[in-house]
Amino acid sequence: MAELNRRTALLSAGGVAALLASGLLPGTAAAAAGEQTRGGPPDPVAATYLRVLLRHTRWAEQQFDQAAGIYPAKDFTFAVVLGNALLLTRDGYDAAIAGIEKDQLNAHTLATIRHFAASNLLTGGTEWGRKLFFDTTFQSYFLLAARLLWTELDDDTKRNVERITTEQAAYTTALGTGDDPASGSWTPNGLQGGFQGDTKLEEMGVYAQSLAPALAWAPDDARANAWRHAFGTWSRNEGGLPAADLANPRLVDGRPVSANTATNLYDTFLVENHGSFGPHYQEELWRTSGRNAMHFLAAGTPLPEVLTAQPNGELLWRTMLLMTSDAGEPLMPMVADREHLYGRDVIPLAFRAQVLGDRHAAYAEAQLAARLEPYQAYAPADRITKFSGEPKYEPEARAELAISYLLHEWRAGQRPVTAVTKEEFDAHATGTADFGAAPGLLAHRSPAAWAGTVTKPGFVKFAWQPHHDDWLFVLGGANPMLLPATNIAVRERHATAYAKVRDGFDGTVGVLRFDTGYAAFATLPTGAAVYASTGVAEGEGVLNVYNLTMPGVPGLDGDRTYTAAEGSVTIKAQAAATGARTDDLTFAPVTARHVRMLGVQPDPQYGYSLWAFEVRDGDGPDLARAGTASASSASPGKEAKYANDGNATTRWAVSTSDRPRADSWLAVDLGAAQTVDRVRLSWEAAAGRKYRIETSQDGVTWTAAATYPVPALTSTKGRLDIDGRAGITVAGPNPLTVTGDHVTLSDGPPAPFVAELRPGSAQASGRVTTTAAAVEATVTDGFLVLLNLSGTAASGRATLPGENRLYRGEQTVTRTGTEFSYALAAAEGRIEPPRFTLKAPAGVKAVVRDASRVELTAPAGLLPVLVTVTPDGGRARPVLLPPRRTVPVVFGDVRPYPLTDRALGRTTFPAEPLPPGMSSPAAAVDDDPATAWRPGPDGRMVVDLGAVTAVSAVELAWTRGRVPAASVETSVDGVTYATATSGPARYVAVRTRWRTGDASLSRLSVLT
């Protein structure tokens, strides 16, 4: 931060002249000074951005309206001018790649800037502008483009650009904390904000973003103080959470964080948008910061402090780290169609890396940049937001790539940010979090995989991505994963998150109850996961696999290979992504009057829709044309009759409400019994993933004639390797099948089964027998997983073969392993890591109390028994056991996991930015005696226990030195505190009268 402050000071020292002299902005500052082209890209990532922008210009030029002579207003397409302006003012322009000569691109760009500067509402136009949502986002891009080409603009256009800049700020400031009447429901809800369903972080960020250009380019305007006050207020409240903010007296731009009033985050530091957790919106804090910062940097105006000292920004970033894929962007289990918006996800990482100096963000940015060109080359070629249905993302992504380039250019004058290694990143990003029942996300990122239990209605799934590979399994939105559908109603949610600092390992268990039974998902620190089900539905254990030809992206080489005990099959990728499909199914001739398509699995987004349903006998005519069609449901104007009317432009589609329904159907009454042996189904994009063709004489009793699709691989041996990237072992009565790019682990009627999923190769099943029918158990990668899939408590024994690993609880050595005794509450899931290994004869009983203590009892006999006990990761110890005597064995050098201190590893406040003189309070709850919290003058810290807890005692441990006077306070809401060391509390605070030289707090312990 000191380096950044020096840079900020230089920016304020002399505007453009100082920038040119310093070399901080070789491109941007020179453009403002009047030069036309600058040097080449400052680093390899920036060079990638420049190449992508050049290629993307082909798409931009396809949008150019030749008749009007401008890029159009529709979907804010004219925002492409920012990418154009960057290319026009940097070396390396290549007309062959861009698809247009440079002077022609320059003419198109200047004409567009001239037009839209005059047509903005703030300059007397009527076409666009002033509206905070979403005009000011594209206004920000537009204004920056104009500044890059400033010396080529005519005087009227310059005046219009300046007027847009200042009058937008005046308009926004005049609103106070009220709503923009032009923006409809897109309101920040004053300074109160909101977080349930739709965070107001984005809305407050837009208010701030509408003010940034004026503060950057017109800092001496008489109204600038009012703009500055409004900008700071909106910016500081973007990540507002009272429990955190009230604990932070730090001044940011002269105002204390504790003066914030907004609640824009869940108390687990996660945001929702459109009713679900969407990481794109979690990133919004840094997306708007990147846009805003670039205006200040380009203008040579000091950065407002809030851009580099964002309240709660680092805790939000921890959420993003937990979700990060190997491609640098987050995994998105609740985002319907935007899992791969690489272009749009650049700017948050570029801001964090290049402005904040975040080395972990720099690593993620480099990974994302490495995928940009292969992604861009994939059909439709040249675009950079391919999988989104909203056209406005394309010009926006172009603009944000340009800003990201400029941020790299800004950084080039100083010491570059060195990205961490992959190993460092994975170690830093590892962790678990239960974000709560309302957000509906229990997440775990291990070095080898990402996993999540998702219970948000409409997105319910157990998600798993080995190697954080966002192009292996399809896990977004309504795409099912493991559970056969995402619209299953969750009746109970039982979530457990294990943390290494408290438990000695990271892991999660989610146990869910549905109307039809229970399913559970356990995730392990090795990247492995265990799925167990009572059999909640037909065709369970769903994995949809990406299979694309996208050279340059690992794994996307155009096919996927599946290997089972019975053999291998390679599935070739389609030439391009398409939803429309024509299926020709033949079957043994049958005489029937009625023929129908009965759905088994719909398209995840849109259900079923058919352009045509044809029925034939051999090469004969379409018998359905003369028949009468009916359906389970239909959308208005898309009734069943349009599927057999012979018109290729009309279609049947299920009703909107029935889109998630699996068993929708379309039937045709042929009028009389006829011989048929084939059907042709011409699907719209809503093509059925799985269905049956059935026939009937009376329209009541149906007989299956054919199924779609026919599996390419069926295995009853319970092991499957997916392209060498994922190995799955299944124990259950149904076969596993591979059909196209669709894997079903229990392909048949509902039935109990257990699946173990591992990064890499499949291994032998670790399923073990238990004496309670409702309890499933495995020993997976050495971890004992116990899952009670019932609504009642269960106890019994599990037979554990093999290496005599000892787990917390009671077990007895047998000739083949151990017998472990368990007692589980209703719907309880547990993960027990191996705490010891025991070499002992049959009959020896072991009771493991924790990772450091085990009690061993010898069986009856005449002689003592010599055994060897080894703690996990420790040294072996021989122990002599007298007959029928219990001997406690304690390893004093081993941490006694699980630890009883409820404060360990919990979130602490103040979070960054920290008050002067204070170190991070997280050091008091990290279980590291070498670290400690330095309170600073009269410092105060808070630990969030995660839930209201019955506290029995609070203990403080200090480093050597004079111990300052301190008091303990507790709160259930994080707002109102009372002095107490026991009682119900979620938040526990320590208030000190600390002076320089006093001891620091090495440990804050909360006991129950």
Side-chain angles (χ1 to χ4, degrees), residues 282-290 310 313 316-317 320 352:
Q282 189 90 356
E283 294 176 306
E284 197 65 37
L285 178 66
W286 311 293
R287 187 172 287 116
T288 56
S289 295
Q310 299 165 316
L316 277 171
W317 176 239
M320 294 308 302
R352 286 200 59 89

Side-chain angles (χ1 to χ4, degrees), residues 132 243 267:
L132 272 79
D267 54 20

Side-chain angles (χ1 to χ4, degrees), residues 912-998:
E912 291 188 10
L914 293 169
M918 182 184 290
S919 66
S920 173
V925 296
D926 64 358
D927 198 39
D928 185 350
T931 63
W933 172 57
R934 185 181 68 252
D938 295 332
R940 178 177 179 270
M941 71 163 284
V942 176
V943 60
D944 177 4
L945 303 180
V948 175
T949 304
V951 174
S952 63
V954 178
E955 298 176 354
L956 307 179
W958 300 85
T959 61
R960 297 180 64 178
R962 190 186 80 87
V963 175
S967 60
V968 175
E969 304 166 336
T970 63
S971 172
V972 296
D973 60 6
V975 176
T976 303
Y977 286 82
T979 301
T981 57
S982 62
R986 172 171 174 174
Y987 302 89
V988 176
V990 177
R991 186 184 296 276
T992 72
R993 293 182 180 176
W994 191 90
R995 300 196 303 264
T996 301
D998 283 354

Side-chain angles (χ1 to χ4, degrees), residues 20 77 139 145 182 213 282 389 408 420 463 509 518 522 531 626 680 846 908 944 978:
L20 288 170
T77 302
Q139 209 166 254
Q282 189 90 356
H408 277 257
V420 298
V509 182
Y518 287 81
Y531 178 75
R680 168 175 285 186
T908 57
D944 177 4

Side-chain angles (χ1 to χ4, degrees), residues 36 61 116 285 372 383 439 508 623 654 683 808 933:
Q36 279 308 296
E61 283 307 303
F116 285 100
L285 178 66
L372 272 173
R383 286 185 54 185
T508 67
L623 303 175
V654 295
W683 294 97
R808 188 166 58 110
W933 172 57

Side-chain angles (χ1 to χ4, degrees), residues 49-57 83 86-87 398 401-402:
Y49 295 160
L50 203 62
R51 291 193 301 270
V52 170
L53 286 169
L54 268 170
R55 177 68 63 181
H56 191 254
T57 303
L86 179 75
L87 295 173
R398 179 176 177 83
L401 272 175

